[in-house]
Amino acid sequence: MICLGLTLLAPLLLALPRSWGQPCPPVPKNATEFVCTAPDLYIFPSGLPSGILSISVEFTNLSTMGEDALQGLPLLRELHLSSNRLQCLPASLLWPVPELRVLDLTGNLLEDLPPEIFHASGLLRDLVLRRNRLRGLWPSWFQSLRALEWLDVSGNLLRMLPPHCFLLLRSLKSLDLSHNFLRNLPAAALEGLAQLERLDLEGNRLQVLAEETFQPTRGLRYLFLQNNKLSALPDAALLPLDQLDTLDLSHNALHTLDFCLPEPHDTLSLDLSGNPWVCDCHAARFLHWLRSRPVHLYARNKTLCLAPPEHHNQSLATLAESELGVSCPPTPGPGKQESQELPPDQVGKA
């Protein structure tokens, strides 16, 4: 395997002249922080003081780390390895640093991680894996991360999520899956994330969401779904999210305002811009709901009607409800029911 080859290469790199292999400045014995951003660094620095609490080795040519790279650093709490050229990591790399709270691997070349790499990282709070080449996430990574609050895997090559992938991340508050290639979410994808407050799915290829997708995340406050390919939302998919502060559905393929929104507990920031809205009776009921609740609609001038022709390119927010009708005509076809005018207390919940 490539990772094994790179690990075996590490001792050879250590034998190189110091000026080529270890260009970082010397570190005082009582130092608690180590920073090195030398572009000609190819191997991880050795001989660091045992009292080091934070290491930042970033913007270098570091491509591999030996299994013992972190030996003798039992107090280490933060490890920043962003913007290097790491292609793989040894399974036991983090085992000598059980006090680790922050691990940042942004902007490397990682395609996978060993299943047991985080087995000794029970105190890890922030894990950043964005802008790598990960093609999958595996539940085995997260089995020991009971304290994890922040997980960022944005900007990778993810196409799917395993069901129950995050089941044991009971403390997670922020999950960033943006700018991947996800086409759908398994119904149980978010199972276990009862503490989640922020979910970012921007810039994927999501086409559909299951009705029960957000059932496990009832405390969600910030939901970003912009720049996907959603053409419809299940009627009640968003209803469990009665703590929402921000909902971004902009730049999808949504056209009918017939999905339910939760009752805002406070002011709800809502972005519906960049969708081809059909401004019909559903839009009328939505406007009635919008105008009678504490909702701030962003990008009003870009929230435009595509149809019918008489409202083409008009801002939805400027239309009067009376211009759009108050009840929907029957829609024939299997499984379809005739739409009817809703009573006032149900307006906007169709």
Side-chain angles (χ1 to χ4, degrees), residues 14-76:
L14 283 169
L16 292 170
R18 181 178 178 84
S19 60
W20 187 85
Q22 296 188 16
C24 299
V27 189
K29 290 184 177 180
N30 61 348
T32 58
E33 182 179 11
F34 174 74
V35 177
C36 182
T37 57
D40 54 342
L41 178 72
Y42 290 84
I43 59 174
F44 191 79
S46 59
L48 296 177
S50 60
I52 286 284
L53 301 177
S54 174
I55 294 175
S56 297
V57 176
E58 302 174 298
F59 304 99
T60 77
N61 265 298
L62 183 68
S63 61
T64 185
M65 294 184 69
E67 293 183 354
D68 59 350
L70 302 177
Q71 287 285 353
L73 303 173
L75 304 180
L76 189 67

Side-chain angles (χ1 to χ4, degrees), residues 76-78 98-103 123-127:
L76 189 67
R77 285 174 170 258
E78 296 192 16
E99 296 294 321
L100 196 65
R101 303 301 203 273
V102 178
L103 176 60
L123 297 179
L124 193 65
R125 187 187 68 239
D126 298 349
L127 174 57

Side-chain angles (χ1 to χ4, degrees), residues 194-214:
Q195 301 300 315
L196 197 66
E197 297 180 0
R198 182 182 184 275
L199 176 59
D200 195 340
L201 289 160
E202 177 188 0
N204 279 280
R205 298 180 179 181
L206 294 173
Q207 299 176 355
V208 295
L209 294 174
E211 184 107 25
E212 60 271 33
T213 297
F214 301 114

